[in-house]
Amino acid sequence: MPRPGRRALPGPGLTPVSGRAGRLRAILTSAGGSVATQLVTALASLLLQLVAARELGADGFAGFTLLLATLVVVTTLHTAWVGDSLTVLDRFDPRVRSALGVSLLSSLALGAVAGTVLAVAFGAAGGPGALLFGALVVVWLVEDTCRRVLAARMEFGRLAANATLDMAVAFAVLGGFWLTGPPRLETMLAAMCAGSLAGVAHAVALLPREELAWPGLRGADVRGVASFATWRAAQAGLRPLTLMLARVAIAAMVSGAALAATEGARLLLAPVLTLVNGVGAFLLPRMVRARESGLPLRLRPALAASVTLTAVTAFGGAVAVVAADPLEPFVTGGNFTIAPVTVAGWAAYAVSLAVTLPISMLATAYRHSRLVFTVRLIESLVGMGALLVLLALRPDLWELAPFCIGAGGVVTSVILVLRLRVLRGRASPSTPERVSHAAQIDG
């Protein structure tokens, strides 16, 4: 009997349809599920941050923001190494599957330690709070792995349901704590843990036995998976790491209140950023399937998606800037103020993400990660350099920080397009994975 592979387990999202209209409906349904998942996840994050901004005060909100930034960085690295590997590689190959098991265990252990240590180092939480945050990192990463399996199976409807359950449980638990007194950092972390545990249980109940089978760890092709995932993880971690370092810099060089105001402005861009992330989560598995079916690397569809996404993002950013003043009391609860110029800065940052995302997803699917890592590294260094110079010379202009962070994003997209035109056609999309930097993925 042939070994099961990803094509043997298509899942509901891959039901064949006939005709152009049917294919279009299938694409829109999958895209809608992907965006809905990002929407629910972002809504949960937004509501949690609104609670923190209104109930924990400026300094408490700044601390909660640093914890979330840490969680995002750890999750991004985990997703890039484990999640993208099980999406792009053959997760049913015994040696690859064993390597994924080793990677998962290592990631959980390192994530727990890093989360606990950084919570203390940033002064965001201490004692029980830091340990609770370390536990949150572990369950969050397990849930993220389960969701990536659902995404690899193109089951975006179930993915959206999973995110909805997580949010419902988290806020039900938080509401229960709220009955006993005002929210505290520890009760918010505990509620997030409960939501993630519910998400894990839900995914385990949905996934077939073949997906959940735990591999033996002997004979694991750790080197092969590492050669595939190293550049991906390094590149994918650049932007969230840059954002985390930027937040630390603002808090250290200006104040926690300045960080709170900067993050409050970012909350107004949450719908736009959610759309961008949802499109990215949808594009990667579809582009991988295109490569697996033998289609050559084609830039035109990615460029069309980039133009469309950029236009929508720019419009959403403009709306957020106009709505900044009327929405400020709702977001901050009077604890700090939000400057429209800071909202405009985050809108510019969102546009830089939208311009680059479809092109970088194409590079991810066709394994050109060193290229994207290089241009993203330059982008991150330019952004952090500009921010540090601004804060060192004119700390009173900290409201312009988002403009610094997003500097260079559009330029990197142009570099990516030019280089992908050169690389296109050099290797067949069906060429087996090679242990070389030129054949890695990116995100």
Side-chain angles (χ1 to χ4, degrees), residues 334-430:
N335 292 321
F336 49 88
T337 59
I338 295 177
V341 67
T342 308
V343 181
W346 284 119
Y349 173 77
V351 167
S352 73
L353 294 182
V355 169
T356 311
L357 183 134
I359 305 166
S360 64
M361 289 296 101
L362 183 65
T364 298
Y366 285 84
R367 304 167 181 170
H368 294 297
S369 142
R370 186 168 70 169
L371 165 65
V372 184
F373 172 77
T374 301
V375 295
R376 288 280 178 82
L377 177 61
I378 295 172
E379 174 186 325
S380 296
L381 291 175
V382 169
M384 277 303 301
L387 176 63
L388 292 176
V389 169
L390 174 71
L391 296 181
L393 299 181
R394 293 293 304 273
D396 58 307
L397 297 180
W398 57 267
E399 292 174 336
L400 302 178
F403 286 104
C404 298
I405 298 171
V410 176
V411 175
T412 58
S413 68
V414 174
I415 296 174
L416 277 174
V417 170
L418 295 178
R419 288 299 300 156
L420 284 177
R421 287 187 183 277
V422 175
L423 292 170
R424 182 178 53 185
R426 284 188 178 180
S428 167
S430 58

Side-chain angles (χ1 to χ4, degrees), residues 39-324:
L39 177 62
V40 173
T41 303
L43 178 61
S45 177
L46 173 63
L47 292 176
L48 285 169
Q49 291 178 79
L50 286 175
V51 171
R54 296 177 63 89
E55 300 296 330
L56 301 184
D59 290 336
F61 177 48
F64 184 72
T65 294
L66 291 175
L67 290 182
L68 281 186
T70 302
L71 185 59
V72 169
V73 170
V74 173
T75 304
T76 300
L77 294 175
H78 172 86
T79 300
W81 192 289
V82 178
D84 287 343
S85 293
L86 66 85
T87 299
V88 180
L89 299 179
D90 183 0
R91 64 185 179 276
F92 294 104
D93 180 280
R95 297 187 66 212
V96 172
R97 195 170 185 83
S98 295
L100 290 174
V102 172
S103 299
L104 175 60
L105 294 177
S106 300
S107 180
L108 295 180
L110 292 173
V113 173
T116 303
V117 171
L118 290 176
V120 175
F122 291 157
L131 294 176
L132 186 58
F133 181 67
L136 172 62
V137 170
V138 172
V139 295
W140 193 279
L141 295 185
V142 173
E143 182 185 36
D144 179 78
T145 305
C146 294
R147 289 183 177 181
R148 287 311 298 262
V149 175
L150 289 172
R153 292 171 55 81
M154 304 293 287
E155 297 181 2
F156 292 108
R158 289 181 169 183
L159 195 60
N162 184 272
T164 302
L165 176 65
D166 180 328
M167 181 177 71
V169 171
F171 281 96
V173 172
L174 181 60
F177 282 124
W178 211 325
L179 294 176
T180 64
R184 296 180 294 111
L185 178 63
E186 292 78 10
T187 58
M188 297 185 68
L189 295 178
M192 294 170 70
C193 282
S196 291
L197 288 172
V200 171
H202 176 259
V204 169
L206 291 177
L207 289 170
R209 185 175 304 173
E210 294 89 345
E211 297 283 11
L212 298 174
W214 182 256
L217 301 183
R218 289 187 178 182
D221 186 16
V222 176
R223 182 177 179 181
V225 171
S227 69
F228 174 85
T230 298
W231 284 103
R232 163 61 179 157
Q235 184 276 319
L238 281 175
R239 276 180 172 159
L241 180 60
T242 299
L243 286 174
M244 185 178 76
L245 293 177
R247 288 162 175 147
V248 172
I250 293 171
M253 300 177 70
V254 186
S255 67
L259 175 59
T262 303
E263 289 302 300
R266 185 184 58 82
L267 293 181
L268 295 177
L269 270 297
V272 175
L273 293 172
T274 298
L275 174 65
V276 174
N277 290 331
V279 170
F282 165 72
L283 285 178
L284 178 58
R286 288 201 63 84
M287 288 178 172
V288 169
R289 295 298 173 95
R291 172 180 59 78
E292 290 177 341
S293 67
L295 293 178
L297 188 155
R298 298 173 57 199
L299 277 169
R300 183 172 296 179
L303 290 174
S306 177
V307 171
T308 303
L309 185 60
T310 299
V312 174
T313 301
F315 175 77
V319 172
V321 173
V322 173

